[in-house]
Amino acid sequence: MNGDKPMTQPWWKQPNRVMLLNLREGDEPRVEARAFVEDVKRYGATAFCINGGGIVAFYQTKIPGQRISATLGDRDLLAEIIPEAHKQGLRVLARIDPSCAPRELAEAHPDWFARDREGNFFEVSGHYVTCPNAGYYHGRMVEVVQEMVRRYDADGIWNNQGKFAAWDTDACYCPTCQRMFRESSGHAIPETEDWDSPVWRQYNEWRYRRIAAWVQRMHQAIHEVKSDAIFISAIQLAESLETIRPGGWDVDYWLEHQDVVAFECQRRNTAPWWPGIQAKYLAGIAPDKPRWMTVSYFYPWWRLYAAPEAENRPWIAQQFANGVNSWLHINGGLSPIFDRRGLQPMQEVFQRLGRWEEYFDGAQSDAKVAVVFSRYTQDNYGRDDPYGRYMDSVRGYYAALSEAHIPFDVLSDKFLDAQRLKQYCVLVLPNTACLTDAAVEAVRAFAAAGGTVVGTYDAGRYDEQGVERREAPLAAMLGGRHGACRRKLQSSYGFLAQRDDALLQGLGDTDVVPNDGDLLEFVPGAGNVVPLTLIPPVTAHSGATISIPEFSAVRGATDVPVVVHGAHGQGRVVLFANRMDALFYKYGFPDLGRILANAVLLGLGDAQDLEVDAPDYVDVTRQAQPGRRLVHLINFAVGKHVNTGWRHPGRNLVPVDGIRVRLRLAPGQKLRAVRSATDNAVLPHATQGDWAEVTVPRLADHEIVAFELDA
């Protein structure tokens, strides 16, 4: 079933390249099973997903009320395609969508459907939205998936849109939801979003838990029929919060009930490193599970229009470099009206992933730095402005480390403990305001044992529900305390008070760096170092945003810290009193990114064992296999920067020549050879002490530098 490779472990635990091929009603006449499967094989794919059932069935279902596609006729696509795929060594997942159902079903099963506050159904495309707590999800969809797995020997199920508030509708107030939430909380479902209300926060958490309960039910239902069939459910991280949060999507709660953990990665109006943060997060929460991620051929709002090749290449590269199997999502590819320009390039990329399989199988990150992502902070601190209050800090620190070529992982705040943190030297909390007591204790212990904790602004000051702690953990670890909050510091500066400090290295001949936004006053503890202090806003008058040139001189600075660092136990704490990470994301001032990166380098110290000399748009990821250390170089597409509110697509992949990579060998290691994955060529290397250095002649879009070692 898997070609010429021996079956040493379940197929989904092996390296895979997957196609997600969305059919639409009317596509069936253009589907011929053998040609369809052969087309998939042109991508070097090992598996693919095809429409099964739910909203509409593309097979001859025997379940009453499940509508069969109007253009299917007497054909059965699952019966035609799955056997042909198996014959040619491919695995097949059937796609379901439980989000809505024909309106006719509401006459017999009105309790299956979501309701608005007035008790009305939500109508979308001639269907009614279904309720994730009711019988359609927990009964009918169980019948559908079991039928497809049992009758057609499908290798698994892929779920799309299993969520509350599907297709941009509103919260569900159906009798089932009302009863279940009251039984859980003692309260009615809130009428409006109010983050100051404990009931609203409880309801928000309840949605996540209820979708997780459905994921568990589906996983059980599929395995009841076929023990080696897999269930994968669509979900995203951080971006698309207008979908994630009301939908109840939190992958952390699904881990036990997902054979393969997966993310969708469709949005293109966000940062170009979104695939990277999602891939790193999957590796962080499930290092021992297979991980998949979609990459859309298209733009979500224009499903027939191809994303530029120059953008999709690094999009896929970030997934592969972080140990995630790519899943190419093509919608409407059989349509006579379609953008076909990206098909051949994507075939080339996927075929290359197949050739590079040896560098993927069993590879694990050996980064020494971890950045924490917190869904609790996203919701209970971010509230009605999660991007501005929280996500911009995560984005900013991510960008600072990427541009400084410092490899790092991304961890969930829910799984911070000594075992998970033992790999790392530095832990970064980018305004990670909301942490559980257990997470705070893990952070304290990490620093006490010798690690460095880097936090910005409100890091750790609130519990997971958004309730402020009596004592700020990082301030206490430094032996200091917070004071008042200075707000709206536009046109202020940071003053280089100790320019020889490690945090200020590389800034050059300047006395100031830009500052903006809010700042928490901090009274330092004994032995703390304050290298950067505040220069208050220099403006024409209170409330102005700019100064008069003749009166813009700065004659002195305060002693109010912008950043402070000091010892805690055997380790160190670096605390930014402002949101320098968010400022870097907003403005892109290189000095701010350098200071953020320097804080991490200070913590790494002698543990820094990888250096890459390349432009800042080259992303660096490190992985390890037995006898091999891998350095992935990813060339981000260069685009036009304009302030439109929408990120323009990457248009140009500009090759980079002469990238120097230096790796320090561990004691007792000997370097046999260094190879480039693109042509498997041996790269000449030089050694100096325990450091080995190679020069990569040219980086097009993605290169792997493989250091082959003798223990």
Side-chain angles (χ1 to χ4, degrees), residues 538-568:
V538 181
T539 57
H541 61 85
S542 177
T545 60
I546 196 168
S547 62
I548 300 171
E550 288 82 356
F551 306 109
S552 60
V554 175
R555 293 178 173 80
T558 68
D559 60 358
V560 175
V562 173
V563 62
V564 56
H565 61 88
H568 177 76

XYZ file of all heavy atoms in Angstrom, residues 538-568:
217
model
N 8.716 63.780 23.647
C 9.149 65.117 23.258
C 8.128 65.621 22.244
O 8.180 65.291 21.053
C 10.564 65.084 22.648
C 11.001 66.505 22.278
C 11.551 64.449 23.612
N 7.164 66.418 22.713
C 6.060 66.866 21.863
C 5.817 68.353 22.067
O 6.316 68.960 23.018
C 4.770 66.088 22.181
O 4.456 66.248 23.568
C 4.938 64.602 21.886
N 4.994 68.916 21.185
C 4.713 70.349 21.237
C 3.869 70.715 22.455
O 4.005 71.800 23.012
C 4.004 70.787 19.955
N 2.975 69.837 22.872
C 2.147 70.067 24.059
C 1.536 68.743 24.475
O 1.593 67.748 23.739
C 1.044 71.095 23.777
C 0.098 70.670 22.687
N -0.997 69.858 22.904
C 0.106 70.921 21.347
C -1.629 69.643 21.764
N -0.989 70.275 20.793
N 0.938 68.697 25.634
C 0.302 67.475 26.103
C -0.800 67.065 25.139
O -1.691 67.857 24.819
C -0.287 67.690 27.503
O -0.954 66.528 27.936
N -0.712 65.836 24.647
C -1.686 65.359 23.667
C -1.208 65.446 22.243
O -1.779 64.815 21.352
N -0.141 66.209 21.991
C 0.415 66.278 20.646
C 1.191 65.001 20.343
O 1.630 64.288 21.249
C 1.325 67.496 20.507
N 1.357 64.712 19.073
C 2.078 63.506 18.671
C 3.428 63.810 18.052
O 4.139 62.886 17.646
C 1.239 62.701 17.659
O 0.993 63.510 16.506
C -0.081 62.268 18.277
N 3.799 65.077 17.977
C 5.049 65.439 17.318
C 5.565 66.720 17.950
O 4.811 67.491 18.564
C 4.838 65.620 15.796
C 6.163 65.600 15.046
C 4.035 66.881 15.488
C 5.990 65.489 13.543
N 6.862 66.927 17.828
C 7.478 68.099 18.442
C 7.731 69.180 17.396
O 7.783 68.919 16.197
C 8.804 67.700 19.096
O 9.698 67.207 18.105
N 7.900 70.406 17.892
C 8.330 71.522 17.039
C 9.842 71.393 16.846
O 10.574 71.209 17.828
C 7.983 72.863 17.700
C 6.463 72.952 17.924
C 8.500 74.036 16.863
C 6.054 74.148 18.759
N 10.326 71.433 15.622
C 11.762 71.190 15.400
C 12.672 72.026 16.297
O 13.671 71.509 16.822
C 11.949 71.543 13.919
C 10.614 71.259 13.307
C 9.607 71.640 14.350
N 12.334 73.306 16.488
C 13.208 74.174 17.282
C 13.243 73.787 18.756
O 14.147 74.204 19.494
C 12.761 75.629 17.161
C 13.044 76.256 15.797
C 11.987 75.913 14.750
O 11.065 75.108 15.062
O 12.065 76.439 13.633
N 12.243 73.009 19.199
C 12.162 72.658 20.618
C 12.175 71.136 20.819
O 11.574 70.624 21.757
C 10.891 73.254 21.239
C 10.760 74.727 21.018
C 9.804 75.237 20.153
C 11.617 75.618 21.650
C 9.685 76.596 19.943
C 11.504 76.980 21.442
C 10.541 77.480 20.579
N 12.858 70.437 19.942
C 12.834 68.978 20.003
C 14.064 68.393 20.671
O 14.238 67.182 20.669
C 12.701 68.397 18.590
O 13.794 68.805 17.785
N 14.929 69.225 21.226
C 16.143 68.707 21.853
C 15.804 67.930 23.124
O 14.855 68.252 23.833
C 17.093 69.853 22.177
N 16.592 66.925 23.398
C 16.471 66.148 24.626
C 17.690 66.463 25.488
O 18.831 66.287 25.058
C 16.406 64.638 24.321
C 16.417 63.839 25.624
C 15.170 64.313 23.508
N 17.438 66.936 26.701
C 18.560 67.362 27.551
C 18.861 66.389 28.679
O 19.764 66.604 29.463
C 18.263 68.751 28.120
C 18.243 69.815 27.020
C 17.908 71.202 27.557
N 18.055 72.203 26.515
C 17.156 72.454 25.576
N 16.026 71.760 25.546
N 17.364 73.377 24.663
N 18.099 65.315 28.745
C 18.378 64.357 29.802
C 17.394 63.211 29.772
O 16.367 63.266 29.094
N 17.723 62.158 30.495
C 16.868 60.977 30.571
C 16.474 60.740 32.014
O 17.093 61.267 32.945
C 17.600 59.758 30.017
N 15.441 59.943 32.208
C 15.030 59.538 33.546
C 15.800 58.282 33.945
O 16.563 57.715 33.160
C 13.523 59.232 33.576
O 13.271 58.043 32.809
C 12.716 60.376 32.979
N 15.566 57.840 35.161
C 16.118 56.550 35.587
C 15.055 55.461 35.533
O 15.241 54.376 36.105
C 16.724 56.652 36.985
C 15.702 57.066 38.046
O 14.523 57.301 37.682
O 16.075 57.156 39.231
N 13.949 55.712 34.829
C 12.867 54.732 34.702
C 13.314 53.646 33.727
O 13.606 53.930 32.565
C 11.575 55.403 34.205
C 10.480 54.363 33.955
C 11.104 56.448 35.207
N 13.379 52.393 34.148
C 13.896 51.345 33.260
C 12.969 51.069 32.079
O 11.746 51.007 32.234
C 13.977 50.115 34.170
C 13.965 50.643 35.569
C 13.131 51.892 35.505
N 13.567 50.880 30.917
C 12.871 50.307 29.767
C 13.123 48.806 29.732
O 12.239 48.026 29.387
C 13.310 50.981 28.461
C 12.704 50.273 27.245
C 12.931 52.452 28.467
N 14.309 48.416 30.127
C 14.628 46.992 30.261
C 15.573 46.835 31.439
O 16.405 47.711 31.711
C 15.237 46.416 28.962
C 16.551 47.090 28.619
C 15.425 44.910 29.057
N 15.421 45.728 32.148
C 16.245 45.456 33.316
C 16.572 43.972 33.312
O 15.777 43.147 32.856
C 15.508 45.866 34.613
C 14.164 45.170 34.720
C 16.347 45.596 35.860
N 17.740 43.616 33.791
C 18.048 42.193 33.925
C 18.848 41.961 35.193
O 19.524 42.854 35.714
C 18.771 41.642 32.697
C 20.095 42.256 32.374
N 21.280 41.805 32.895
C 20.426 43.296 31.545
C 22.288 42.518 32.411
N 21.796 43.438 31.593
N 18.726 40.746 35.712
C 19.406 40.401 36.945
C 19.320 38.918 37.212
O 18.632 38.165 36.502
N 20.004 38.491 38.241
C 20.083 37.075 38.566
C 18.834 36.607 39.302
O 18.184 37.366 40.025
C 21.320 36.811 39.412
N 18.529 35.329 39.085
C 17.536 34.628 39.913
C 18.037 33.202 40.088
O 18.102 32.435 39.115
C 16.155 34.621 39.265
C 15.149 33.845 40.068
N 14.589 34.347 41.214
C 14.626 32.592 39.913
C 13.752 33.458 41.722
N 13.761 32.379 40.947
